[in-house]
Amino acid sequence: MKRMKEMLCDPSTFRKIDFTFGKELNVLLQQEDRLTSFLKSIKKHISLDLYKSYYPQGSQPGIMYGLSKIHKPLVDGFPKLRPILSALNTSTYKWAKFFVPLLKDLTYNDFTIKDSFEFAKNITEQDSKLFMASLDIESLFTNVPLDETISICINELFKDNAEICGISKCKMFEMLSLTTKESIILFDNCFYSQLEGVSMGSPLGPTFANVFLCHHEKQWLDDCPKHFKPVYYKRYVDDIITLFKSPEHVPLFANYLNSKHKKIKFTFETEKNGRLPFLDVNIFRENNTFVTTVYRKDTFSGVYTNFTSFLPQDYKFGLIFTLLHRCFALVSDFSKFHLEIETLKKILLKNEYSEKMIDTCISKFLNKLFVTKPRVLTVPKKELNITFPFLVSNSYLLIA
């Protein structure tokens, strides 16, 4: 509770709304009125379905809570907190969902990673003589500069378009500003508004973070001095993996990035004993190449859906096949894959899955991958006769 209040008392990010609990209805109604007035101003330019879909009514404040980062070092004996916002039923929730697919093309570039599976395949193709380091952006979501990111989004969207969904650039800017700046947050019977950044849990959270970084990182890397520039650079939201020619280049590159924007601070971690975890992939060297296996944090409990849970049987089979696919996609070597399968079997046995059920799933999974099934025609072949017209000379040419 104390940690969350300290976070919410930061005047650069949050502002406390001074009214007693129970009177928030007036503020929510005023917020709905502002959104309704804007919708009416563009009503003639958009479809009726769109107008009805995003008409705000019966909205509620977003609920803020803190999620403990139990995998991070303690601060004063307590874990750090990650602020999470439950934005469902807020007045701007549907508007935020409208912008997510609209801004999708701005959220990736040549440096972004789609998922762990893509990364695991990509990293094994790199030169294993290079030095590994990962960088992390501290509290990226709450430090994303709203005004700057909104301008980036609108300028990029309207680079080649005069209108989008019947909405002009000026109106779209106003709409996006209302969506991101009109949120009311409830915590411990007190109400706050977020002045800067976006919250985890908000539909636009990951989108805004990616748009902001995609816009800047290409320029930052282009301007980076060549003598410590990374040979390899890939990012997944706020986690970055890099490969350098020398370990000495890592702090130089981190300091360089920290000088590029006053709101964004980078920290780094270097490989230890030739190993480095990134996302849920453990990377290390073997036989002059990078090898990957599944990475599980020290806080991993091994608790999955218990077999005795009151759930459909298909869900339990689905869990085993999902974990098998994850192992197969993240592990680059078959001998390591065998070890991962043995580890997975021990975990599933502790969750009361039978050994017979696990072995059956493993057999089915591997057979689907490696056993080629002959094609079986279940429909009998049908004879087809085609009649061509006789065209004198042309037909003789075809016969010849």
Side-chain angles (χ1 to χ4, degrees):
M1 185 74 73
K2 181 182 175 182
R3 291 273 179 176
M4 282 297 296
K5 286 189 174 181
E6 288 175 357
M7 193 181 303
L8 290 167
C9 286
D10 182 359
S12 64
T13 308
F14 297 96
R15 177 177 65 86
K16 188 174 182 180
I17 301 174
D18 294 320
F19 56 77
T20 57
F21 184 74
K23 293 185 178 180
E24 76 280 1
L25 181 60
N26 291 333
V27 177
L28 291 172
L29 289 174
Q30 290 172 9
Q31 184 184 58
E32 285 187 1
D33 287 342
R34 287 193 292 274
L35 298 173
T36 303
S37 297
F38 173 78
L39 267 181
K40 288 180 178 178
S41 70
I42 62 170
K43 185 177 181 179
K44 62 182 180 180
H45 302 292
I46 60 176
S47 66
L48 185 60
D49 289 339
L50 193 65
Y51 177 82
K52 289 181 178 180
S53 297
Y54 298 107
Y55 192 91
Q57 54 185 354
S59 59
Q60 300 172 357
I63 309 299
M64 179 75 80
Y65 61 95
L67 188 65
S68 298
K69 299 180 181 180
I70 57 176
H71 60 288
K72 296 285 186 180
L74 300 179
V75 178
D76 299 329
F78 295 94
K80 292 182 179 180
L81 292 177
R82 177 184 286 114
I84 306 293
L85 178 69
S86 176
L88 197 65
N89 295 327
T90 58
S91 58
T92 58
Y93 181 77
K94 290 182 179 179
W95 289 33
K97 296 277 280 186
F98 166 77
F99 277 105
V100 170
L102 207 61
L103 299 171
K104 184 180 179 181
D105 289 344
L106 307 181
T107 60
Y108 58 86
N109 57 22
D110 293 338
F111 307 109
T112 52
I113 300 169
K114 180 183 176 183
D115 50 37
S116 301
F117 306 135
E118 179 186 300
F119 168 70
K121 182 180 179 181
N122 186 261
I123 192 66
T124 55
E125 298 169 356
Q126 308 306 315
D127 185 359
S128 64
K129 295 178 182 178
L130 297 170
F131 186 79
M132 295 184 289
S134 63
L135 291 94
D136 180 63
I137 304 173
E138 290 189 357
S139 304
L140 171 62
F141 282 57
T142 52
N143 284 310
V144 171
L146 276 182
D147 289 331
E148 182 182 348
T149 309
I150 290 170
S151 296
I152 292 169
C153 292
I154 298 302
N155 290 333
E156 289 295 325
L157 281 176
F158 287 88
K159 187 188 296 182
D160 302 312
N161 302 292
E163 289 185 349
I164 295 176
C165 299
I167 306 172
S168 65
K169 181 177 180 179
C170 181
K171 287 295 184 181
M172 189 68 81
F173 181 88
E174 185 181 350
M175 186 177 181
L176 189 54
S177 298
L178 286 170
T179 303
T180 53
K181 295 182 176 181
E182 285 287 330
S183 58
I184 297 175
I185 299 167
L186 173 65
F187 179 79
D188 191 30
N189 291 345
C190 294
F191 294 88
Y192 302 84
S193 62
Q194 190 163 351
L195 306 175
E196 198 66 281
V198 285
S199 301
M200 291 190 72
S202 168
L204 276 174
T207 299
F208 259 43
N210 276 315
V211 168
F212 173 76
L213 288 173
C214 283
H215 178 77
H216 285 293
E217 65 189 345
K218 185 179 187 305
Q219 191 62 50
W220 293 348
L221 288 169
D222 287 344
D223 295 342
C224 180
K226 291 184 178 180
H227 66 275
F228 61 76
K229 184 177 179 179
V231 178
Y232 178 85
Y233 175 104
K234 291 289 181 180
R235 176 180 58 81
Y236 183 81
V237 191
D238 59 346
D239 294 314
I240 302 167
I241 182 76
T242 52
L243 298 176
F244 292 90
K245 292 180 180 178
S246 169
E248 298 172 355
H249 295 170
V250 181
L252 295 175
F253 182 66
N255 291 335
Y256 164 76
L257 289 179
N258 283 327
S259 68
K260 302 308 291 182
H261 200 286
K262 62 180 180 179
K263 296 288 290 184
I264 306 300
K265 184 180 179 183
F266 292 81
T267 59
F268 66 88
E269 180 182 344
T270 57
E271 63 174 83
K272 294 177 182 177
N273 300 320
R275 291 177 174 265
L276 183 72
F278 183 71
L279 302 181
D280 51 353
V281 181
N282 191 28
I283 317 157
F284 56 96
R285 296 179 184 84
E286 192 174 274
N287 298 325
N288 297 319
T289 187
F290 282 128
V291 178
T292 59
T293 57
V294 176
Y295 173 67
R296 299 178 179 89
K297 294 179 180 177
D298 295 335
T299 53
F300 174 70
S301 63
V303 176
Y304 288 114
T305 301
N306 196 282
F307 181 76
T308 60
S309 300
F310 188 66
L311 287 171
Q313 196 84 331
D314 288 348
Y315 285 30
K316 297 163 188 177
F317 279 107
L319 170 65
I320 300 175
F321 285 122
T322 299
L323 294 174
L324 286 170
H325 171 72
R326 178 170 175 259
C327 285
F328 182 78
L330 297 185
V331 178
S332 59
D333 182 87
F334 269 102
S335 61
K336 304 291 187 300
F337 176 63
H338 173 73
L339 295 175
E340 286 295 337
I341 291 295
E342 292 300 315
T343 302
L344 185 58
K345 284 181 70 172
K346 292 177 183 177
I347 294 171
L348 290 170
L349 287 170
K350 288 181 180 179
N351 285 274
E352 300 190 60
Y353 289 81
S354 68
E355 188 169 359
K356 181 180 178 181
M357 181 181 182
I358 299 168
D359 288 339
T360 300
C361 290
I362 293 171
S363 178
K364 285 183 178 180
F365 178 79
L366 294 176
N367 285 338
K368 191 174 181 180
L369 287 173
F370 301 110
V371 177
T372 304
K373 294 183 178 179
R375 290 182 64 186
V376 178
L377 298 175
T378 57
V379 180
K381 290 184 178 181
K382 185 178 180 181
E383 291 186 1
L384 182 64
N385 296 318
I386 301 175
T387 304
F388 292 100
F390 180 70
L391 299 175
V392 194
S393 60
N394 289 334
S395 294
Y396 282 126
L397 287 172
L398 290 172
I399 294 171

